[in-house]
Amino acid sequence: MAVKKKAKAKAKEDLGYTNFTPYKEKKGEEYMNPKQVEHFRAILEGWKKQLMDKVDETVHHMQDDASNFPDPNDRASQESEFAMELRTRDRERKLIKKIDESLTNLDNDDYGYCESCGVEIGIRRLEARPTATQCIDCKTLNEIREKQFGK
């Protein structure tokens, strides 16, 4: 039972940016006001910090666990594990770049607005996907186009 709790806690920790209190909008509140900007900056910076910590963990893990196993099967298993870890970190590197772009958009007052049509993306959508750059309608249209044209 304790193992399941630890696994759930680790899984929740891995999600990083989901470990926040949802923003409570007030009636008539201006979109992307200073409180909302602060809320999303905290989410993005926390998420980025967590990803950067994982990069450091990976480097230390690979340095500490790198062994020259005499058994080819053990060596192949280790190389496979390292390759998978590096692929994961590469995806996270790309995500960090998106987070940095979102932080730049926050600084330039462009965050939270659709890059295609200019409408508000919405607080809940941004909390679900803090690096979103399109409103749900434009994103849906793009996905339909991708399916149709295979791009």
Side-chain angles (χ1 to χ4, degrees):
M1 191 66 160
V3 173
K4 280 186 180 181
K5 282 185 180 181
K6 282 184 182 181
K8 278 186 178 182
K10 179 69 175 152
K12 190 167 188 170
E13 180 183 303
D14 287 345
L15 295 174
Y17 76 90
T18 60
N19 197 9
F20 63 88
T21 304
Y23 186 82
K24 292 188 186 341
E25 295 177 76
K26 294 175 180 74
K27 191 171 181 149
E29 182 177 30
E30 182 184 341
Y31 185 68
M32 282 299 135
N33 64 48
K35 282 187 177 184
Q36 291 174 1
V37 168
E38 182 182 317
H39 173 72
F40 286 108
R41 184 176 306 282
I43 290 171
L44 290 163
E45 287 175 348
W47 195 12
K48 181 180 176 180
K49 182 189 179 315
Q50 183 183 24
L51 292 170
M52 296 301 289
D53 290 346
K54 283 185 178 185
V55 168
D56 292 341
E57 267 180 42
T58 298
V59 169
H60 294 305
H61 169 71
M62 291 180 85
Q63 287 172 342
D64 295 344
D65 290 356
S67 301
N68 191 5
F69 291 107
D71 181 19
N73 291 328
D74 290 341
R75 200 169 334 132
S77 293
Q78 182 184 48
E79 287 175 14
S80 176
E81 175 191 330
F82 284 175
M84 191 164 86
E85 231 178 292
L86 288 172
R87 277 193 308 271
T88 301
R89 295 304 161 245
D90 187 52
R91 281 198 335 265
E92 289 173 348
R93 178 188 57 80
K94 292 173 185 171
L95 180 56
I96 289 170
K97 185 178 176 196
K98 281 184 149 185
I99 291 170
D100 285 338
E101 289 169 4
S102 294
L103 288 167
T104 300
N105 287 342
L106 261 175
D107 292 337
N108 297 333
D109 297 326
D110 291 333
Y111 184 78
Y113 297 94
C114 180
E115 66 182 13
S116 299
C117 68
V119 303
E120 297 173 356
I121 293 175
I123 300 296
R124 297 299 162 241
R125 175 157 165 70
L126 288 170
E127 285 181 336
R129 189 67 180 163
T131 56
T133 57
Q134 293 181 314
C135 66
I136 194 69
D137 294 334
C138 290
K139 184 64 176 172
T140 302
L141 286 173
N142 273 354
E143 289 175 357
I144 291 169
R145 277 189 215 112
E146 285 175 8
K147 283 181 185 175
Q148 287 177 339
F149 300 112
K151 293 182 182 179

